[in-house]
């Protein structure tokens, strides 16, 4: 079994794991600040850019992910959507998928876990990947589990498969960005790229 956090616009590695199967998203784990739980990386015209969902009481110790509330006192939704449009409007599939993304930057969600899970479910639907099971209770990792919940945990099997990114004419390939980067670049071809990221 592969244990995953509920992530904001999850990475290519995250989706490679979902494609492999046997995953569970754990929303009973403790929230970790400055991690993929509320942060993602996209490719902007000047290089990688981090986008962070603002959360309330981020410093509260041992707060379960399922209880973390989103903070709307700053205009992060407007900023994120503007960054996504600016970065990807020139990509082959942005116009095709944009209508599925935009509602997540208009509607308010109370809880980060709900926001992340619904966004991940939408990405899964668009890519043709099965949405994994979700646990609202913390799962103790067994010795043979692949636990990708610790901060910046990396799957030992993951190898980034290059694809043509939106600014390939001026920037080198940037590995393991948000899966949105791959989806906007490759559309239905994203599955082929994901299959090359993990061994059989």
């Amino acid at each position: 079994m592969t244990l995953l956090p509920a992530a904001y616009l999850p990475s290519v590695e995250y989706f490679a794991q979902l494609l492999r199967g046997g995953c569970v998203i754990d929303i009973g784990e403790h929230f970790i600040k400055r991690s993929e739980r509320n942060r993602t990386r996209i490719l902007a015209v000047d290089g990688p850019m981090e986008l962070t969902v603002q959360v309330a009481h981020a410093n509260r110790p041992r707060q379960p992910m399922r209880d973390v509330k989103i903070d709307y006192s700053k205009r992060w939704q407007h900023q994120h959507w503007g960054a996504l449009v600016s970065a990807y409007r020139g990509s082959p599939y942005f116009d095709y998928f944009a209508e599925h993304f935009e509602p997540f930057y208009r509607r308010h969600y109370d809880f980060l876990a709900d926001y992340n899970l619904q966004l991940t479910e939408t990405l899964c639907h668009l890519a043709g990947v099965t949405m994994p099971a979700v646990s609202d209770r913390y799962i103790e990792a067994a010795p043979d589990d692949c636990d990708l919940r610790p901060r910046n945990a990396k799957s030992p099997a993951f190898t980034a498969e290059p694809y043509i990114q939106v600014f390939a004419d001026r920037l080198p390939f940037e590995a393991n960005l948000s899966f949105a980067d791959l989806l906007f670049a490759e559309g239905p071809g994203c599955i082929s790229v994901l299959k090359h990221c993990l061994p059989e």
Side-chain angles (χ1 to χ4, degrees):
M1 179 167 62
T2 299
L3 301 173
L4 297 164
Y8 171 53
L9 286 177
S11 66
V12 172
E13 177 184 1
Y14 192 105
F15 264 80
Q17 294 291 347
L18 294 187
L19 184 64
R20 173 184 263 185
C23 297
V24 176
I25 297 176
D26 182 359
I27 62 170
E29 60 144 6
H30 295 143
F31 174 71
I32 299 175
K33 293 190 303 179
R34 295 186 293 277
S35 72
E36 64 189 327
R37 288 149 190 83
N38 69 322
R39 182 174 292 191
T40 194
R41 289 171 65 242
I42 65 169
L43 190 62
V45 67
D46 295 324
M49 170 190 285
E50 287 192 347
L51 302 177
T52 303
V53 176
Q54 301 298 315
V55 298
H57 310 297
N59 293 320
R60 185 175 291 164
R62 302 175 66 81
Q63 182 176 196
M65 180 67 185
R66 65 176 177 267
D67 295 339
V68 175
K69 289 194 170 184
I70 298 176
D71 178 3
Y72 292 100
S73 64
K74 297 179 182 176
R75 300 182 67 208
W76 66 265
Q77 284 181 302
H78 175 77
Q79 293 166 354
H80 288 204
W81 182 241
L84 287 166
V85 171
S86 177
Y88 295 113
R89 65 184 162 210
S91 64
Y93 290 92
F94 181 78
D95 288 342
Y96 185 74
F97 292 126
E99 65 180 313
H100 300 280
F101 282 79
E102 189 172 10
F104 289 96
Y105 300 95
R106 305 283 182 233
R107 179 183 165 192
H108 281 204
Y109 289 76
D110 289 333
F111 294 96
L112 179 62
D114 293 337
Y115 181 70
N116 286 352
L117 290 172
Q118 288 190 29
L119 188 48
T120 299
E121 187 172 14
T122 297
L123 289 168
C124 284
H125 172 72
L126 296 176
V129 175
T130 302
M131 179 70 181
V134 177
S135 174
D136 63 357
R137 294 179 178 271
Y138 180 75
I139 301 171
E140 289 287 348
D144 58 345
D145 287 340
C146 177
D147 191 354
L148 297 178
R149 295 171 299 180
R151 181 192 301 275
N152 299 323
K154 298 290 182 190
S155 165
F158 177 77
T159 303
E161 174 73 11
Y163 54 93
I164 298 174
Q165 293 175 319
V166 68
F167 301 114
D169 61 328
R170 67 191 86 168
L171 295 172
F173 176 73
E174 193 68 38
N176 207 25
L177 296 171
S178 167
F179 176 70
D181 184 85
L182 172 57
L183 187 66
F184 292 146
E186 295 288 333
C190 67
I191 295 297
S192 177
V193 175
L194 291 176
K195 286 179 178 177
H196 286 91
C197 291
L198 293 171
E200 295 295 329

